[in-house]
Amino acid sequence: MEGVLTPEIWIAVAERTGIAELRRTTRDEPDYDKLMRGRLALLDRHGITLSRIQAVIGALAPLPGALEFLNTLRAQVQVIILSDTFEQFAQPLLRQLGWPVLLCHRLVVEHDRITGYQLRIRDQKREAVRALQSVNYRVIAAGDSFNDTSMLMEADHGILFRAPASVVGQFPQFPAVEDHPALLKLIQSLL
């Protein structure tokens, strides 16, 4: 979701709070647990609450062209968003995107403080693709980060969208596109 349909939430939080270390995302760090442990430590050290993060998220809008892309695609195929975001973060953005199906994780919150996170299952994006394929769905997946690559490898067709050069370089087997019209055109060619 983030980086493809919506802005990166953690980057927006970094900009709003002035905590530059929160700019680090799965585009930079392939180890999701290491990334999240670092984020949680920063939130704790700086006293950043869930409600403060939700206020930042509430001011975000989908990326330009994302809603039109999503609406056009949903008119042709079923769309499921697989994301490493959290239920407590996604609601304002889902509303603006017309409530697409989102499978993601959950934060552990105590008295408005984020104290941990619960993965649905390890490597949930890849496992979701496998589950869809096990009931005879063909899967076309798009993503922009290291945490998307196992999903892209498992899918019938994987596509990189606005991925950094480091991801594109390590995964040259995936076509890489830079805008929503190109992504839509490529997906439609695979249907």
Side-chain angles (χ1 to χ4, degrees), residues 22-76:
L22 286 174
R23 291 187 61 81
R24 197 162 171 74
T25 71
T26 54
R27 294 169 65 102
D28 309 302
E29 175 55 62
D31 185 332
Y32 188 74
D33 186 58
K34 178 180 177 183
L35 178 65
M36 279 306 300
R37 283 185 280 115
R39 287 172 172 168
L40 294 175
L42 287 166
L43 296 179
D44 186 55
R45 184 176 330 129
H46 293 277
I48 306 297
T49 61
L50 174 60
S51 57
R52 187 166 175 197
I53 294 171
Q54 288 172 325
V56 172
I57 296 166
L60 297 177
L63 294 173
L67 182 58
E68 295 80 7
F69 161 79
L70 193 57
N71 285 339
T72 302
L73 193 57
R74 285 191 292 205
Q76 298 173 24

Side-chain angles (χ1 to χ4, degrees), residues 14 39 64 78 95 133 170 182:
R39 287 172 172 168
Q78 294 179 353
R95 182 175 49 258
Q133 291 169 328
Q170 288 185 45

Side-chain angles (χ1 to χ4, degrees), residues 117-176:
Y117 67 98
Q118 296 173 330
L119 298 179
R120 294 288 170 199
I121 57 174
R122 191 155 189 67
D123 204 1
Q124 63 101 8
K125 292 179 185 184
R126 181 183 60 164
E127 294 302 326
V129 168
R130 282 183 178 168
L132 289 166
Q133 291 169 328
S134 77
V135 290
N136 293 321
Y137 280 99
R138 205 171 110 223
V139 177
I140 300 170
D144 71 332
S145 299
F146 286 111
N147 67 325
D148 296 318
T149 57
S150 66
M151 168 186 72
L152 300 180
M153 287 187 273
E154 193 67 39
D156 297 285
H157 300 282
I159 304 165
L160 289 170
F161 180 79
R162 291 185 187 157
S166 58
V167 175
V168 173
Q170 288 185 45
F171 298 93
Q173 69 268 40
F174 302 122

